Amino acid sequence: KNLTAVSNNAGVDDFGLGLLLQSGQIKRMISSYVGENKLFEQLYLTGHLEVELTPQGTLAERLRAGGAGIPAFYTPTGAGTV
């Protein structure tokens, strides 16, 4: 319970992460794509699920850096767009 799931997508309704969402075990989701799971949408829109959307390349680098013990890194995503 109260899991944080990190995945490039939110799975589908009756398989994988969808099963964990159904049972209420995921509290926070870090993902790059969330478009195919209706339950995910419902949980997010009703405030029962925290969501952090991250570009896919940045998500992969966060996982790689974390596994290598690198606490921070720079990515130009969005740089200079303000």
Side-chain angles (χ1 to χ4, degrees):
K1 200 122 175 141
N2 294 325
L3 295 174
T4 295
V6 180
S7 177
N8 68 324
N9 65 55
V12 292
D13 293 325
D14 295 317
F15 185 79
L17 291 176
L19 297 175
L20 293 174
L21 287 167
Q22 284 178 15
S23 62
Q25 295 184 61
I26 297 177
K27 178 182 180 181
R28 183 169 186 250
M29 184 78 188
I30 301 172
S31 185
S32 60
Y33 175 74
V34 297
E36 295 181 28
N37 191 316
K38 301 278 187 210
L39 179 60
F40 176 95
E41 177 184 6
Q42 178 185 356
L43 291 171
Y44 174 67
L45 292 175
T46 58
H48 292 96
L49 182 65
E50 298 172 32
V51 177
E52 180 182 327
L53 292 174
T54 304
Q56 189 168 359
T58 303
L59 181 62
E61 180 60 16
R62 285 176 70 181
L63 294 169
R64 187 205 67 78
I70 300 169
F73 63 93
Y74 172 78
T75 177
T77 303
T81 60
V82 177

